[in-house]
Amino acid sequence: MQKNRQIPYQAITRHLLFWLAYILYQCVNNGWEDKDVFAFKLDPQLSTSVPICMLVTYLNLYVLMPLFYYPQKYIQYAIGMAVLILIGGLLPRFFAYAIWVPWDKIHDPAMFKMEKTDFWIPVRIFKNAAGNAPVLFIAMLIKLMRNAYQQEKNMREMEKEKFNAEMGLLKAQINPHFFFNTLNTLYALTLKGSEQASKVVLRLSDLMHYMLYEASENKVLLQDEIKHLESYIGIEQMRFADRLELSFQYSGDITGKMIAPLLLLPFVENAFKHSLAESDGWITINLKVTGNRLFLKVENSYQPSPKPDNYGLGLKNVKRRLELTYPDHYELLLNQNNGIFEADLKLDL
């Protein structure tokens, strides 16, 4: 199936404006004649000089540059440019000899008498070449600037796509990790025949609604994120009420503050995971907002493991999300000592 190609109207318009400005400049320059009087003169020779200038300009932009300049074959490009500039000097002289000298003989005899009728006049050829060179180099400079801008734009788009893809992957890893823990809690309560199982289902439903419809945004209200944490903590308290000593408190003005969704949950999940792995434990969660700065400190009892501890998948993901979402605007310290694990986060909202 043949694809429909859109006509590049903007590019065509840019080229037309460029050459219109060049023609206007030539008309004004021709009418000035070294006098302090502004004049506008439409010289018939523009009908050949402008197409020649366009020819050498586009040969450079779309032949020499792709063949030699972009692949960094600068010697070949310099030779090609020298030949092209020479052509830009010879062609106007050819048309002057073949068309405009006979034209002056008929329409402007006075000018014809002063005009040299020989073809090979090096000064005239050099002057024609020098006249085309500024336009050629200006067009080349504009082309290089547009290429650089387009490359920068493409790079930003690629980085944005990479960022979105990586963030989506990290969120996709967070969600199953969270639900795995929550479903384990629900499973344990149903085995015990606990009446709290229905409450867990209700809280889980609220959490799923939050994660499906709100946490997909780039930023959410901090108060909603805190409410989400309270729901999660409430579920875990139902499961570990007889084994857990918990303190959760927050302070400061959280109204209207925004934060990346599901950013704080992994710290709390990690605390429950390690503090209650084999025995009773305790967890202390303190969250404080001062101005636009958030302080989160999570401490929990910790049972040393003979296996090397990498702090779990959740904390790995949250560290990467902090790097992507809040570069140079956060401080995170993770420390374990004397049976205590501590996560200390400082974040510019």
Side-chain angles (χ1 to χ4, degrees):
M1 182 180 294
Q2 188 175 3
K3 296 182 179 179
N4 295 326
R5 295 185 178 179
Q6 295 182 350
I7 300 176
Y9 292 108
Q10 292 183 350
I12 292 174
T13 302
R14 286 195 300 268
H15 285 260
L16 289 175
L17 290 174
F18 177 83
W19 291 112
L20 178 60
Y22 173 71
I23 293 171
L24 290 174
Y25 168 77
Q26 290 294 335
C27 291
V28 173
N29 188 52
N30 288 335
W32 201 281
E33 297 178 350
D34 298 326
K35 298 178 181 179
D36 295 331
V37 178
F38 181 84
F40 183 89
K41 180 181 177 182
L42 186 60
D43 192 336
Q45 293 191 34
L46 289 176
S47 61
T48 56
S49 62
V50 171
I52 292 170
C53 188
M54 294 175 66
L55 174 65
V56 296
T57 298
Y58 288 125
L59 281 175
N60 176 50
L61 294 180
Y62 298 109
V63 178
L64 291 184
M65 290 179 69
L67 285 177
F68 303 121
Y69 186 85
Y70 297 145
Q72 299 182 354
K73 300 177 181 179
Y74 297 125
I75 296 177
Q76 294 93 322
Y77 179 72
I79 295 172
M81 278 290 289
V83 173
L84 192 61
I85 291 174
L86 179 60
I87 292 172
L90 288 172
L91 283 179
R93 184 57 197 159
F94 169 78
F95 283 107
Y97 177 79
I99 299 175
W100 301 118
V101 170
W103 172 277
D104 288 342
K105 183 177 181 180
I106 299 173
H107 297 87
D108 194 350
M111 178 62 70
F112 175 75
K113 290 180 181 180
M114 295 185 295
E115 184 72 30
K116 294 182 179 180
T117 58
D118 297 336
F119 171 79
W120 189 256
I121 305 176
V123 174
R124 295 287 180 89
I125 295 172
F126 177 79
K127 180 181 177 182
N128 294 333
N132 289 330
V135 180
L136 190 150
F137 288 119
I138 290 173
M140 179 181 175
L141 178 62
I142 294 173
K143 180 69 173 177
L144 292 175
M145 291 174 63
R146 283 191 56 79
N147 288 348
Y149 169 78
Q150 191 62 45
Q151 289 177 358
E152 180 68 21
K153 182 180 178 182
N154 292 340
M155 187 176 297
R156 287 197 302 267
E157 290 178 353
M158 290 176 63
E159 289 177 352
K160 184 178 179 181
E161 291 176 2
K162 181 182 178 181
F163 172 83
N164 290 335
E166 190 167 355
M167 288 296 292
L169 178 62
L170 291 174
K171 285 184 178 180
Q173 290 175 332
I174 288 174
N175 293 358
H177 186 59
F178 166 75
F179 283 115
F180 177 78
N181 289 344
T182 305
L183 289 174
N184 275 346
T185 300
L186 181 60
Y187 177 71
L189 291 173
T190 53
L191 286 180
K192 296 177 182 179
S194 173
E195 296 180 355
Q196 292 183 327
S198 60
K199 295 181 181 179
V200 173
V201 171
L202 183 60
R203 286 182 178 269
L204 181 59
S205 175
D206 291 338
L207 294 177
M208 290 180 65
H209 181 274
Y210 173 81
M211 299 180 76
L212 290 174
Y213 297 103
E214 298 181 46
S216 59
E217 301 293 332
N218 291 330
K219 295 289 182 68
V220 296
L221 288 171
L222 178 59
Q223 57 194 35
D224 291 339
E225 185 74 2
I226 292 175
K227 181 180 178 182
H228 173 70
L229 286 179
E230 289 177 326
S231 297
Y232 176 80
I233 292 170
I235 291 174
E236 294 293 65
Q237 280 183 306
M238 292 179 189
R239 179 181 177 186
F240 300 111
D242 55 341
R243 297 173 49 195
L244 174 67
E245 181 181 344
L246 175 69
S247 172
F248 174 46
Q249 56 185 355
Y250 61 89
S251 60
D253 183 13
I254 64 174
T255 306
K257 301 293 191 301
M258 306 294 290
I259 191 172
L262 306 176
L263 194 65
L264 306 180
L265 174 64
F267 298 105
V268 179
E269 280 188 293
N270 187 74
F272 276 100
K273 175 182 177 182
H274 291 289
S275 65
L276 301 169
E278 298 179 3
S279 61
D280 297 351
W282 57 269
I283 299 173
T284 301
I285 305 170
N286 289 302
L287 190 152
K288 181 180 179 182
V289 176
T290 303
N292 288 323
R293 193 153 173 86
L294 179 143
F295 301 87
L296 175 68
K297 189 171 185 179
V298 180
E299 294 179 300
N300 59 271
S301 54
Y302 182 81
Q303 298 294 329
S305 173
K307 298 181 180 179
D309 199 343
N310 57 8
Y311 303 133
L313 177 64
L315 290 188
K316 274 187 175 181
N317 287 348
V318 78
K319 288 171 69 176
R320 182 57 181 155
R321 289 187 66 200
L322 284 167
E323 293 172 3
L324 292 172
T325 313
Y326 298 97
D328 302 322
H329 290 279
Y330 80 94
E331 296 178 26
L332 177 61
L333 297 176
L334 301 175
N335 184 41
Q336 60 183 64
N337 189 27
N338 297 327
I340 299 175
F341 183 86
E342 177 182 341
D344 193 353
L345 173 65
K346 300 175 183 178
L347 180 68
D348 294 330
L349 298 176

